[in-house]
Amino acid sequence: MNTPDNLLYAKSHEWLRLEKDGGTVGITDHAQSALSDVVFVELPKTGRKVKAGEVVATVESVKAASDIYSPVAGEITAVNTVLPNDPGLINREPYGQGWLFRIQPEQPKPTGLLSNTDYAATLTR
Amino acid sequence: MFYLGRKRFARTLTPVPSVLPFETVPDPIAESPLASLHAALGARMIPFAGWNLPVEYSGLLAEHKATRQAAGLFDISHMGQIRAQGKDTLPCLESILANDPAKLKDSEGHYSFITNEQGGVIDDLLLYRLASDDFFLVVNASRHLEVLQLLKRHESPNVRFSGNPGSAVGMALQGPQSAAILGPILQGAPLPPRNHIARFTLLGGTVLIATTGYTGENGYEIFSDIPTGRKIWSAILETGKPLGLLPCGLGSRDSLRLEAGLPLNGQDLSPEITPLEAGLGFFVDLSRPRPFPGRSALELQKKSGPPRTCIGLQGQPGQPPPRHGYPVFQGSKQIGVITSGVPSPTLGLGIALALVTTPAPVCGQDLEIEVRGRRIPAKVSPRKFLKGK
């Protein structure tokens, strides 16, 4: 499974990319593969303040609905408006155009997240 | 937590009974006799009803579409294959099953139930008559041992039941190209008509082929010994590939059956749900003289009307898919709950079966489904969601 080294990972299979002006969140290649074809995405409202670990979105494949948890506390600043019309982007580009939302983290240094190698290790257990 | 595949499949897992008087207990998770072939095809496996089975190979949507437009091949070796033989088999089955086995002629099959004293469904099954003293039952994996145990209580010198889990191969070839694929493998031997079964000698073994299925498409279910089954699986894949056949997993099997309005035991049927409530009264024969468990309860329910009714629901494109367990509302009043729901790959909107209080709203009426705390619109529809399937 692809786990880029410039991202931080939650055990619950979300990734966070820290940028100069906030962070971007999506689900990992492992998660999209395990879900299989994504057919529906429910995204949070921009401006919503969330805690780390709070349910912020739902990604549904044909067979199941899966909750998405915010990897950090902060404020939702944008959502990927392309996804509702093309949820398959999550399968095709989980780390690229299939991103879910942008967040302004409360803390500059997030805690409790994993490096790519530590996350990859959780998948082989 | 990010639960992968939590709802649909986790719920239908049934633990295997630990102590059985008549046979050795299988491993908690059994491998299909076709497991090595699935691995070679790159299948993603999940536990289901005590079995480790493919959930998908190339992808659920592609497999669903292949079955509707060309053909799909499904491993159904987990389904229980039970043989009932002996000269008193027919009266014995008549005293157990809710549909009347006496209606069947040689080589015919029909859908039936084993019901409890309350008329609730222990299992739904297909019963085939091979000869007057030789019947074949295909039961759900999750109920296989329970049903075999129940049947064996009725054994006598003139009725015997056999068929342990894991001892045979079953596969379903489904879709419009099924006959074109199976025909050449059978070298022109005529295939049985719909809902019939026939014996064939094929690739060195004796096999049973039934013209039945669980997808709403024309197709065949093939039952054989293990070595022959492995050969047939590979032969069908090879012959079918140029015609668009894909090997298909449990994922598409579920979305296909729900589009066709076919019930899943453990969700749409259970010991607490009668066939009449599930809208399957056609397969319960109350006209014959012989009693069977639950007969009087079902007669009463038929007279007074079942307290609950299974309806079909259709959502709208762009709305979250309906799922098992979601509440169903008419106005402000909850009238029932969804027993099976899926985003229909063919229709592009959510479809569901729901069990609601009687009198049920009629087709075309507007209801609401509660999804994660909010209500979404849904229309009552026929339970066969695809016309002509």
Side-chain angles (χ1 to χ4, degrees), chain B residues 68-213:
Chain B
R68 288 268 176 260
Q69 297 182 351
L73 182 62
F74 303 76
D75 180 6
I76 56 165
S77 301
H78 60 296
M79 302 285 291
Q81 300 179 32
I82 297 174
R83 198 73 172 260
Q85 289 166 306
K87 69 178 174 64
D88 291 343
T89 302
L90 179 59
C92 175
L93 290 175
E94 283 183 275
S95 71
I96 299 169
L97 298 172
N99 205 349
D100 186 4
K103 287 191 295 202
L104 293 175
K105 300 187 185 75
D106 285 356
S107 85
E108 280 182 353
H110 68 195
Y111 184 57
S112 191
F113 302 97
I114 297 176
T115 43
N116 58 28
E117 288 300 337
Q118 292 73 46
V121 176
I122 295 170
D123 202 7
D124 62 328
L125 56 97
L126 281 165
L127 174 72
Y128 302 96
R129 172 170 156 151
L130 302 171
S132 61
D133 58 352
D134 190 357
F135 287 76
F136 181 58
L137 295 85
V138 180
V139 305
N140 281 293
S142 59
R143 296 281 186 268
H144 186 167
L145 289 173
E146 183 185 350
V147 167
L148 191 57
Q149 202 169 11
L150 181 152
L151 293 172
K152 278 182 179 269
R153 275 187 237 123
H154 296 262
E155 276 194 331
S156 72
N158 295 318
V159 189
R160 298 174 313 280
F161 294 98
S162 60
N164 288 334
S167 59
V169 164
M171 69 192 85
L173 171 62
Q174 301 279 296
Q177 293 287 355
S178 297
I181 293 165
L182 197 52
I185 297 172
L186 289 170
Q187 297 174 330
L191 282 157
R194 204 175 173 83
N195 294 325
H196 283 61
I197 195 166
R199 262 195 210 84
F200 293 85
T201 304
L202 183 58
L203 302 174
T206 302
V207 307
L208 290 170
I209 299 181
T211 307
T212 45

